[in-house]
């Protein structure tokens, strides 16, 4: 089996698990659905270590993978044996609990916060920044990128981003 087919098989299984868990019923024609899937895959991969082989870049609505976009457009015609794909039940349960009841905007801010943290963590590892200084940098960058979003009828605050940052550091 080609690498692309293995990757697509894992995605198909992940989409099936999301639907069975009543987290997300993927609709390819819906922008909102595609956006949510991008964030779910990013969070599952980066925060919970699930084996979803997609590279992400920071884009307008947070971390985005063109490869993932290509793959989900292939899903409707994909035929593969999903029983061959296994995700750790414990990892998926933790992921499911984490994303449960989160809005698209919340997922976008969480994924963006993690992406900015991960992209700048080398400053901490090299000793250039203290953890506190790096956290402040991340908060400023996230608010600069996502400050126009509305979360629960208000714009994201420093406190919200700080809370998200602490939460993702503790996973």
């Amino acid at each position: 089996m080609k690498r692309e087919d293995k990757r697509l098989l894992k995605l198909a299984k992940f989409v099936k698990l999301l639907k069975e868990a009543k987290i997300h019923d993927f609709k390819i024609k819906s922008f909102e659905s595609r956006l949510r899937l991008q964030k779910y895959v990013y969070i599952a991969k980066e925060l919970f270590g699930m084996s979803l082989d997609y590279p992400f870049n920071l884009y307008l609505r947070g971390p985005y993978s063109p490869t993932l976009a290509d793959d989900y457009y292939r899903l409707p015609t994909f035929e593969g044996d999903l029983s061959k794909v296994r995700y750790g039940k414990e990892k998926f349960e933790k992921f499911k609990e984490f994303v449960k009841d989160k809005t698209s905007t919340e997922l976008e801010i969480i994924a963006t916060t993690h992406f900015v943290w991960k992209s700048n963590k080398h400053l901490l590892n090299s000793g250039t920044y203290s953890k506190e200084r790096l956290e402040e940098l991340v908060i400023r960058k996230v608010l600069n990128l996502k400050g126009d979003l509305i979360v629960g009828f208000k714009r994201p605050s420093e406190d919200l981003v700080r809370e998200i940052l602490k939460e993702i550091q503790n996973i």
Side-chain angles (χ1 to χ4, degrees):
M1 181 181 285
K2 292 190 289 188
R3 183 173 180 259
E4 294 81 18
D5 290 339
K6 286 181 185 177
R7 188 182 63 223
L8 192 57
L9 188 63
K10 288 179 185 179
L11 177 63
K13 178 69 173 227
F14 184 69
V15 168
K16 182 178 184 221
L17 290 172
L18 290 174
K19 183 176 182 176
E20 288 172 351
K22 295 181 177 28
I23 295 171
H24 184 68
D25 187 5
F26 181 63
K27 306 280 189 252
I28 199 163
K29 292 182 180 181
S30 163
F31 173 79
E32 175 76 12
S33 183
R34 295 188 312 267
L35 175 71
R36 289 182 80 83
L37 187 60
Q38 285 274 342
K39 302 317 163 226
Y40 287 139
V41 169
Y42 179 85
I43 291 167
K45 175 188 175 194
E46 295 294 335
L47 273 70
F48 293 92
M50 294 177 71
S51 63
L52 293 152
D53 306 322
Y54 293 100
F56 285 85
N57 297 305
L58 197 56
Y59 197 59
L60 298 173
R61 301 290 303 262
Y64 173 78
S65 173
T67 308
L68 173 56
D70 291 343
D71 280 358
Y72 57 64
Y73 284 115
R74 292 177 51 210
L75 277 176
T77 59
F78 180 72
E79 294 179 14
D81 184 0
L82 299 185
S83 68
K84 293 182 179 188
V85 179
R86 300 264 186 256
Y87 285 109
K89 185 174 175 125
E90 187 177 318
K91 283 183 183 181
F92 187 77
E93 287 300 315
K94 286 180 180 178
F95 162 80
K96 183 173 82 170
E97 199 56 38
F98 181 79
V99 299
K100 182 180 72 173
D101 301 326
K102 294 219 175 11
T103 66
S104 297
T105 302
E106 290 168 322
L107 294 169
E108 184 176 334
I109 293 171
I110 291 164
T112 301
T113 300
H114 180 269
F115 188 94
V116 172
W117 172 258
K118 183 179 172 187
S119 298
N120 290 284
K121 200 169 181 183
H122 68 279
L123 296 170
L124 177 64
N125 296 338
S126 70
T128 307
Y129 275 45
S130 67
K131 184 176 182 202
E132 294 77 22
R133 187 173 173 208
L134 179 57
E135 287 172 352
E136 294 306 315
L137 172 75
V138 170
I139 291 165
R140 280 195 318 275
K141 283 188 173 194
V142 171
L143 288 174
N144 188 40
L145 291 166
K146 301 295 164 192
D148 291 337
L149 293 174
I150 303 297
V151 181
F153 303 110
K154 58 186 178 184
R155 298 198 187 287
S157 66
E158 272 189 43
D159 289 341
L160 173 67
V161 179
R162 189 178 311 283
E163 182 183 311
I164 289 168
L165 187 55
K166 296 277 185 235
E167 188 175 13
I168 62 178
Q169 288 173 349
N170 289 327
I171 291 176

